[in-house]
Amino acid sequence: MTAFIEKLKKSGLKGRGGSGFPTFEKWQTVLTTKAEQKYLVCNGAEGEPGVKKDHYILANYPEVVIEGLKIGLETFEKSKAIIYLKSNYYREFGGKLKELIGDLPIGLFEKKGGYLAGEETTIVSILEGGLAEPKGKPPYPCKAGINGCPTLVNNVETWYHIAKIDKGEYKKSRFFTIGGEVKNPGVWERDEKYPINKLLKETDNYPDFDFFVQSGGEISGEILLPSELKQTARGQGAIIVYNREETDGWELMQKWINFFHQENCDKCTPCREGVYRIKEMFDKKIFDQKVLKDIFYVLDKTSFCSLGKVVSIPIKSFYQKIGL
Amino acid sequence: MTISITINGKKYKAKKHQSILTVLKENKIYVPALCYHPDLCVKSNCRLCVVSIKGRDGLYTSCSTKVEDGMDVTTESPEILRTIRTNLELIFAQHKEECADCIYRYNCELLKMAKKYEININRFKDRKNGIKKYSLGDVLVMDPNKCINCGNCVEVCHKQKVDFWQKKEINAK
């Protein structure tokens, strides 16, 4: 273990892309896997609606992200880095990033594909020139990623914190996005365990109407009631506020399921067919509880990748807590 | 290297790097595996060959999971049965049944599974119906209404350097 990876381990940093995997473990695997070429990917796909933290970081601290990548390049011999950005981020920040990169071995790549194209094995497939479709794990990308080479995929925010850890400035913080029906939408950096209610109050966003919150992202996030807001935001740290009286439950659930239906890659049975059947039910506004439970069951248990596994989270929590 | 694994409470020998499905097949233990083909890549698309592994959460597709020494695998449980039945019903939902006219009537893997797992093959209305058929000469007809999206034909077509069937990028933006 290098001195920096030791620091990374002590920091307790977990990936900020949503899955919360310990960052040092990925780094250690890439370090110990022998290869002629290693790749570092800065994932700026930010495909979950309602999440704007990577945009905020790229707009305000692009130099810190590049510093993080520099540390990666110094840590891993024979390594190259790729900044993988969704199209509008590529257009908005590409020029500035190129300036900061100078002659470092860092390339820019404009993301192809939709929501799934931010998932790490799908990124590997796209960077290899393949389809926007997830790959089976294992092997994990950090062991065998792009063309079989060890590939470290970390989120933009993770690279930002890596630079902070190196300088001794990391204070276990993360970036929260606040959106929805609030006065003051935006992105705030706070302690990683910061309670949702405290953050809403501090930022002058705590509603004066009856509301509920979606925690994590505008599609895959879990629905929380005002009494549940002592916890911190999950997933990618987005907090979306809804007006309980004015929100049409059917419309909201249709929005989620249409998104999952449009964005799934059609690879595995539960996601391709199951999501289609749920969409069919929502379109007709007729619920068959038994069918819905069976489909959620196979989505949770047997989906190929994480997209299918999150389909039930917003729908189940909305139905249980808010109802129709 | 030979290793030892337990399947449904019985000990079996296996080779390191084998998939659980290969070991199950070698020992004639049945699990449904629709998209698996010994000559093709493991895709684990159909999600039928699921098993549970002691000490690990969730279910695993046996085609894509390698055996490990001391692994304790279960192929039959209410949880596994429920999963197979629902996924099989979903697969049938995209396949237009015209069994009476089908040359595979007596040798249809799907129908065999439907019988074994006592599923309702019409639980869902057929999703595919009226999609254009492709006639490739007099001997080969491709009917997408019957396709269960296993992806095997696309792979074979590519491996034969024909590339006539290709997967479409549905979300390209």
Side-chain angles (χ1 to χ4, degrees):
Chain A
M1 200 178 278
T2 67
F4 180 73
I5 298 181
E6 195 71 58
K7 256 190 195 177
L8 202 54
K9 187 179 177 182
K10 270 192 195 154
S11 75
L13 179 66
K14 288 182 180 164
R16 299 292 196 229
S19 67
F21 191 78
T23 306
F24 89 91
E25 285 188 30
K26 280 189 177 179
W27 280 58
Q28 184 61 13
T29 307
V30 174
L31 184 79
T32 53
T33 307
K34 285 186 181 148
E36 281 307 303
Q37 180 70 63
K38 296 183 180 181
Y39 291 102
L40 317 177
V41 178
C42 172
N43 182 2
E46 199 150 73
E48 171 84 30
V51 181
K52 297 188 174 77
K53 66 184 180 68
D54 292 345
H55 182 273
Y56 179 85
I57 292 168
L58 289 168
N60 295 287
Y61 312 108
E63 69 289 350
V64 185
V65 176
I66 301 290
E67 276 170 40
L69 283 165
K70 257 197 226 170
I71 297 160
L73 291 166
E74 284 159 14
T75 306
F76 307 107
E77 282 179 9
K78 302 167 194 161
S79 60
K80 279 182 195 165
I82 299 159
I83 304 179
Y84 177 88
L85 296 168
K86 83 190 223 185
S87 293
N88 50 336
Y89 293 8
Y90 183 89
R91 287 194 294 272
E92 197 174 342
F93 306 119
K96 178 75 190 161
L97 286 169
K98 270 181 197 158
E99 239 175 70
L100 289 165
I101 289 167
D103 50 10
L104 287 167
I106 303 175
L108 292 184
F109 188 93
E110 187 179 348
K111 184 188 93 162
K112 291 182 181 125
Y115 184 61
L116 246 193
E119 188 273 337
E120 66 172 351
T121 63
T122 310
I123 293 177
V124 167
S125 176
I126 292 169
L127 291 175
E128 285 173 342
L131 287 175
E133 210 177 74
K135 292 181 168 210
K137 292 189 273 192
Y140 289 88
C142 42
K143 203 132 190 109
I146 302 170
N147 300 326
C149 302
T151 303
L152 177 69
V153 184
N154 279 157
N155 178 255
V156 166
E157 186 185 342
T158 311
W159 286 108
Y160 168 91
H161 291 305
I162 283 162
K164 293 284 177 186
I165 289 167
D166 187 53
K167 287 190 204 157
E169 293 171 5
Y170 175 62
K171 294 193 181 87
K172 289 188 184 296
S173 65
R174 74 174 301 180
F175 288 84
F176 295 93
T177 314
I178 299 180
E181 287 165 62
V182 291
K183 287 181 209 154
N184 201 11
V187 176
W188 282 269
E189 188 179 4
R190 288 288 186 281
D191 184 89
E192 61 183 1
K193 290 184 182 149
Y194 217 71
I196 297 172
N197 54 4
K198 209 172 161 191
L199 185 59
L200 286 175
K201 280 174 193 163
E202 253 180 46
T203 55
D204 196 21
N205 279 318
Y206 200 87
D208 50 9
F209 47 81
D210 194 9
F211 72 104
F212 61 91
V213 157
Q214 196 174 8
S215 158
E218 208 174 293
I219 299 294
S220 65
E222 186 190 356
I223 296 298
L224 298 176
L225 295 171
S227 58
E228 298 175 292
L229 302 185
K230 281 180 188 157
Q231 59 184 290
T232 193
R234 295 181 187 189
Q236 296 180 55
I239 300 162
I240 319 295
V241 175
Y242 296 87
N243 184 321
R244 188 165 175 161
E245 246 176 54
E246 288 171 11
T247 304
D248 182 325
W250 278 112
E251 225 172 74
L252 186 59
M253 288 203 282
Q254 271 172 336
K255 181 181 99 175
W256 295 330
I257 205 68
N258 285 340
F259 184 88
F260 287 126
H261 178 246
Q262 193 199 332
E263 298 293 333
N264 91 64
C265 73
D266 278 359
K267 179 178 170 66
C268 71
T269 304
C271 216
R272 182 183 64 244
E273 298 305 320
V275 168
Y276 175 82
R277 296 297 158 181
I278 301 174
K279 177 179 154 48
E280 204 175 47
M281 273 191 258
F282 282 140
D283 285 347
K284 290 179 190 158
K285 295 194 177 179
I286 300 168
F287 264 148
D288 181 331
Q289 293 281 357
K290 171 87 177 72
V291 172
L292 199 60
K293 276 184 188 164
D294 280 345
I295 294 175
F296 280 158
Y297 192 80
V298 290
L299 277 165
D300 293 349
K301 300 268 179 190
T302 65
S303 290
F304 189 93
C305 77
S306 50
L307 182 137
K309 290 190 167 75
V310 300
V311 173
S312 69
I313 295 172
I315 300 171
K316 264 191 205 167
S317 57
F318 180 86
Y319 193 69
Q320 283 162 2
K321 294 175 187 177
I322 313 290
L324 287 164
Chain B
M1 193 181 135
T2 310
I3 57 169
S4 170
I5 69 164
T6 305
I7 305 169
N8 298 335
K10 270 178 142 183
K11 296 263 183 216
Y12 293 88
K13 295 273 176 231
K15 290 184 202 89
K16 211 181 164 186
H17 303 304
Q18 277 186 310
S19 70
I20 297 176
L21 182 64
T22 312
V23 179
L24 292 171
K25 280 184 179 287
E26 276 179 5
N27 292 288
K28 300 197 166 31
I29 301 165
Y30 179 78
V31 291
L34 261 185
C35 66
Y36 173 80
H37 190 288
D39 295 337
L40 303 177
C41 300
V42 169
K43 296 180 207 63
S44 35
N45 291 346
C46 72
R47 318 306 283 176
L48 291 178
C49 65
V50 288
V51 296
S52 57
I53 300 168
K54 200 173 175 185
R56 296 191 198 174
D57 286 342
L59 298 175
Y60 292 80
T61 43
S62 59
C63 64
S64 62
T65 311
K66 303 273 187 229
V67 288
E68 284 172 25
D69 196 30
M71 197 179 241
D72 191 346
V73 176
T74 302
T75 66
E76 286 174 20
S77 70
E79 187 187 23
I80 293 171
L81 186 64
R82 184 180 179 192
T83 303
I84 294 173
R85 288 181 61 129
T86 307
N87 276 341
L88 204 49
E89 283 170 338
L90 287 170
I91 288 171
F92 263 100
Q94 57 181 326
H95 173 80
K96 188 183 172 195
E97 293 84 31
E98 288 178 327
C99 304
D101 291 335
C102 180
I103 55 164
Y104 289 108
R105 185 165 36 149
Y106 301 112
N107 191 25
C108 173
E109 207 50 39
L110 266 178
L111 278 178
K112 278 185 207 164
M113 287 179 191
K115 205 172 164 191
K116 178 171 169 58
Y117 292 101
E118 298 175 333
I119 62 152
N120 173 9
I121 65 170
N122 291 315
R123 185 177 188 188
F124 304 101
K125 203 177 155 210
D126 286 336
R127 173 162 74 81
K128 296 176 186 168
N129 203 350
I131 304 176
K132 189 185 155 198
K133 286 185 195 175
Y134 295 88
S135 265
L136 308 170
D138 293 336
V139 290
L140 188 61
V141 175
M142 160 65 177
D143 183 356
N145 301 295
K146 298 197 174 71
C147 168
I148 56 163
N149 292 55
C150 69
N152 284 345
C153 69
V154 179
E155 188 186 340
V156 171
C157 200
H158 177 68
K159 285 188 166 161
Q160 294 297 319
K161 300 193 173 18
V162 178
D163 276 331
F164 186 78
W165 304 125
Q166 286 182 353
K167 284 193 87 171
K168 209 171 88 185
E169 193 94 57
I170 50 171
N171 289 320
K173 285 181 184 122

